Amino acid sequence: MKTIDELLAEGVAGKRVFVRADLNVPLESGAITDDGRIRAVLPTVKALADAGAKVVVASHLGRPKGAPDPAFSLAPAASRLGELLGSAVAFATDTVGDSARSVVAGLADGQVAVIENLRFNAGETAKDDAERGAFADRLAELADVYVGDGFGAVHRKHASVYDLPARLPHAAGFLIATEVGVLKKLTEDVQRPYVVALGGAKVSDKLAVIDQLLGKADRILIGGGMAYTFLKAQGHEVGISLLQEDQVPVVQEYLERAERTGVELVLPVDVLVSTEFPDLKAKAPTNPATVAADAIPADQEGLDIGPETRKLYASKFADAATVFWNGPMGVFEHPDYAEGTKEVAQALVDSPAFTVVGGGDSAAAVRILGFDENAFGHISTGGGASLEYLEGKTLPGLAALED
């Protein structure tokens, strides 16, 4: 895989460099609530611009239906990128149309442009190779060189991620190089004890990675909504908590395998419960109760790990050499149910281990809850991509960058 350092050494002055970034930032009423992914691609964009390239940044945002939708415009991300660069960023109001061609043609050496949301064109996500390829052909007309730096999208077989690199000289940006290097520390050269904390809503999202980690991790801690399927698999009442009944047999097999292979699989011992899901916008107090994890009332819903579980999980990080965390421990967006996620994050900060926060909601929680990002070993920009890498899958966007 060619690196951006090699590309810069060859010289990019005057060349149009297409940077496939991940600017898929959360928006609320058109305002960016977390600019972490924009800041993550900044080193690559700045290095190319400083070297005299004409930088064309492209990304998706959200899940539009293959047609323009103002709610998913990249205009706010382009504006924020300009603020972070300290220089104006041009914005094209389409992907491969008149605006994109005009904006790119007007770039001077060292200038940056952002084109509109790639998913406004159905060819970006098409299952049909020919349709995807046709869109990639049009994107290729905008550039001389391709740099892949959207780690959050490398597990997608999309035109700008998979097909476009085959049409242009290509290299990996700084972010992708860093992400891959970190993931290798979690798969090929693991320092032990290796502790994994998994949370989030659905156990089905994590089954494949749990399957892999049962042969690699020393301890696996389970929290979030997925914990209730594990508790159900142990025969406990989970009330009206989030439950994937169809996954109970699989989880039972994992519990048995963990015991058989000596992997410590740790579940909550107490949880915070309420009779209804909290209003995440109003954030009105809900007066949750703390109950034992094996005694959840039939009319109650588990929404966070309890205080004893927080202490237990913190103790499991204390002697770790490597920690990977993916998924919040509860409904952290509401102050009544944020403490579990907050204390897990603090335990990672306090741990002497090399700590990796696996993207998605976990990365957002770290920032929303006020933690210094530099206190962690690495905060990934791609939760889904990280998990698929740990599952041992071939990621299309990484394969496309290989020579």
Side-chain angles (χ1 to χ4, degrees):
M1 186 181 294
K2 188 175 186 176
T3 68
I4 190 171
D5 285 323
E6 292 174 289
L7 181 66
L8 291 168
E10 293 172 359
V12 293
K15 293 183 180 179
R16 299 169 302 163
V17 181
F18 188 104
V19 178
R20 202 329 180 162
D22 179 9
L23 308 181
N24 186 26
V25 292
L27 297 172
E28 193 169 298
S29 300
I32 296 170
T33 58
D34 180 1
D35 68 356
R37 284 177 169 168
I38 301 175
R39 287 185 286 110
V41 78
L42 204 62
T44 291
V45 173
K46 191 173 187 310
L48 290 167
D50 288 348
K54 300 172 181 179
V55 186
V56 181
V57 180
S59 176
H60 70 285
L61 192 152
R63 296 178 183 271
K65 305 299 183 181
D69 183 338
F72 298 106
S73 175
L74 277 174
S79 177
R80 181 58 179 150
L81 179 60
E83 291 172 359
L84 292 168
L85 286 170
S87 59
V89 167
F91 181 66
T93 57
D94 57 26
T95 55
V96 290
D98 292 341
S99 179
R101 288 193 296 270
S102 175
V103 166
V104 172
L107 288 175
D109 293 0
Q111 290 187 331
V112 179
V114 173
I115 62 174
E116 187 54 285
N117 192 334
L118 291 162
R119 291 184 183 174
F120 285 1
N121 188 304
E124 170 67 2
T125 59
K127 301 294 185 185
D128 181 75
D129 291 349
E131 185 179 354
R132 254 192 359 264
F135 183 50
D137 286 340
R138 297 184 69 188
L139 289 172
E141 293 173 3
L142 300 175
D144 306 303
V145 180
Y146 177 93
V147 171
D149 214 30
F151 181 74
V154 293
H155 58 315
R156 306 295 186 193
K157 193 176 182 180
H158 291 170
S160 66
V161 175
Y162 179 75
D163 302 274
L164 184 55
R167 289 156 168 78
L168 296 169
H170 50 264
F174 292 126
L175 175 60
I176 280 186
T178 298
E179 294 273 13
V180 171
V182 166
L183 287 169
K184 285 182 177 180
K185 290 184 179 181
L186 300 179
T187 54
E188 298 176 13
D189 185 26
V190 183
Q191 301 299 305
R192 298 185 180 279
Y194 178 21
V195 182
V196 176
L198 297 174
K202 295 182 179 180
V203 69
S204 57
D205 293 342
K206 308 280 169 67
L207 285 178
V209 76
I210 294 171
D211 184 65
Q212 287 292 315
L213 289 169
L214 281 171
K216 294 184 173 71
D218 299 298
R219 296 178 199 135
I220 302 175
L221 319 181
I222 304 294
M226 61 186 288
Y228 304 102
T229 301
F230 277 84
L231 292 171
K232 184 71 172 180
Q234 289 186 323
H236 303 311
E237 168 67 56
V238 296
I240 58 172
S241 304
L242 188 63
L243 173 65
Q244 290 187 278
E245 191 84 47
D246 61 324
Q247 302 298 334
V248 168
V250 180
V251 169
Q252 287 174 329
E253 193 275 327
Y254 286 171
L255 289 167
E256 292 167 4
R257 199 196 323 168
E259 185 171 0
R260 189 168 63 248
T261 59
V263 175
E264 190 178 359
L265 208 161
V266 189
L267 300 181
V269 295
D270 61 346
V271 297
L272 267 62
V273 297
S274 178
T275 55
E276 59 183 353
F277 197 84
D279 186 328
L280 300 184
K281 288 189 176 180
K283 293 183 171 54
T286 62
N287 299 313
T290 301
V291 300
D294 59 358
I296 299 173
D299 64 342
Q300 303 278 313
E301 178 177 11
L303 296 167
D304 193 15
I305 58 173
E308 292 305 314
T309 304
R310 296 170 209 156
K311 292 178 188 174
L312 172 65
Y313 285 12
S315 72
K316 299 298 181 182
F317 295 130
D319 67 342
T322 305
V323 175
F324 174 71
W325 170 36
N326 180 282
M329 295 292 107
V331 187
F332 74 93
E333 300 92 339
H334 192 285
D336 287 352
Y337 307 102
E339 204 60 30
T341 301
K342 187 174 183 179
E343 291 197 22
V344 163
Q346 185 61 56
L348 264 67
V349 171
D350 294 339
S351 171
F354 174 65
T355 55
V356 179
V357 180
D361 287 340
S362 312
V366 162
R367 289 187 277 268
I368 290 169
L369 296 174
F371 286 90
D372 179 358
E373 294 181 46
N374 295 322
F376 302 88
H378 178 69
I379 297 180
S380 179
T381 56
S386 295
L387 290 176
E388 290 199 15
Y389 190 102
L390 293 180
E391 290 168 22
K393 290 184 177 179
T394 297
L395 306 189
L398 296 185
L401 294 175
E402 297 290 349
D403 293 322

Coordinates of all heavy atoms in Angstrom, one line a residue, residues 18 139-140 143-146 164-170:
F18 N -7.8 13.8 -5.6 CA -9.1 13.4 -5.0 C -8.9 12.7 -3.7 O -8.3 11.7 -3.6 CB -9.8 12.5 -6.0 CG -11.3 12.2 -5.7 CD1 -12.3 12.8 -6.4 CD2 -11.6 11.3 -4.7 CE1 -13.6 12.5 -6.2 CE2 -12.9 11.0 -4.4 CZ -13.9 11.6 -5.2
L139 N -16.2 10.5 -11.7 CA -15.4 11.0 -10.6 C -13.9 11.1 -11.0 O -13.3 12.1 -10.7 CB -15.5 10.2 -9.4 CG -16.9 10.2 -8.6 CD1 -16.9 9.1 -7.5 CD2 -17.2 11.6 -8.0
A140 N -13.5 10.1 -11.8 CA -12.1 10.1 -12.2 C -11.7 11.3 -13.1 O -10.5 11.7 -13.1 CB -11.7 8.8 -12.9
A143 N -9.9 14.3 -11.4 CA -8.7 14.2 -10.6 C -7.6 13.5 -11.4 O -7.8 12.8 -12.4 CB -8.9 13.4 -9.3
D144 N -6.4 13.7 -10.9 CA -5.2 13.0 -11.5 C -4.7 11.9 -10.6 O -4.0 11.0 -11.0 CB -4.1 14.0 -11.7 CG -4.5 15.2 -12.5 OD1 -5.0 15.0 -13.7 OD2 -4.4 16.4 -12.1
V145 N -5.0 12.1 -9.3 CA -4.4 11.1 -8.2 C -5.6 10.9 -7.2 O -6.4 11.8 -7.0 CB -3.2 11.7 -7.5 CG1 -2.7 10.8 -6.5 CG2 -2.1 12.1 -8.5
Y146 N -5.6 9.7 -6.6 CA -6.6 9.4 -5.6 C -5.9 9.1 -4.3 O -4.9 8.4 -4.2 CB -7.3 8.1 -6.0 CG -8.3 7.6 -5.0 CD1 -9.7 8.0 -5.1 CD2 -7.9 6.7 -4.0 CE1 -10.6 7.5 -4.1 CE2 -8.9 6.2 -3.1 CZ -10.2 6.6 -3.1 OH -11.1 6.1 -2.2
L164 N -13.0 3.7 -7.8 CA -12.3 4.9 -8.2 C -10.8 4.7 -8.1 O -10.0 5.0 -9.0 CB -12.7 6.1 -7.5 CG -12.1 7.4 -7.9 CD1 -12.2 7.7 -9.3 CD2 -12.6 8.6 -7.0
P165 N -10.2 4.1 -7.0 CA -8.8 3.9 -6.9 C -8.2 3.0 -8.1 O -7.0 3.2 -8.4 CB -8.6 3.1 -5.6 CG -9.8 3.5 -4.8 CD -10.9 3.6 -5.8
A166 N -9.0 2.2 -8.7 CA -8.5 1.4 -9.8 C -8.3 2.2 -11.1 O -7.7 1.8 -12.0 CB -9.5 0.2 -10.1
R167 N -8.9 3.4 -11.1 CA -8.9 4.3 -12.2 C -7.8 5.4 -12.2 O -7.6 6.1 -13.1 CB -10.2 4.9 -12.5 CG -11.3 3.9 -13.0 CD -12.7 4.3 -12.6 NE -13.7 3.4 -13.3 CZ -14.0 2.2 -13.0 NH1 -13.4 1.7 -11.9 NH2 -14.9 1.5 -13.7
L168 N -7.2 5.5 -11.0 CA -6.2 6.6 -10.8 C -5.0 6.1 -10.0 O -5.1 5.1 -9.2 CB -6.8 7.7 -10.0 CG -8.0 8.5 -10.7 CD1 -8.6 9.4 -9.6 CD2 -7.5 9.3 -11.8
P169 N -3.8 6.7 -10.2 CA -2.7 6.4 -9.2 C -3.2 6.7 -7.8 O -4.0 7.6 -7.6 CB -1.6 7.4 -9.6 CG -2.0 7.8 -11.0 CD -3.5 7.7 -11.1
H170 N -2.9 5.8 -6.8 CA -3.5 5.9 -5.5 C -2.6 5.7 -4.4 O -1.5 5.1 -4.5 CB -4.7 5.0 -5.4 CG -4.4 3.6 -5.8 ND1 -4.6 3.0 -7.1 CD2 -3.8 2.6 -5.1 CE1 -4.2 1.8 -7.1 NE2 -3.6 1.5 -6.0

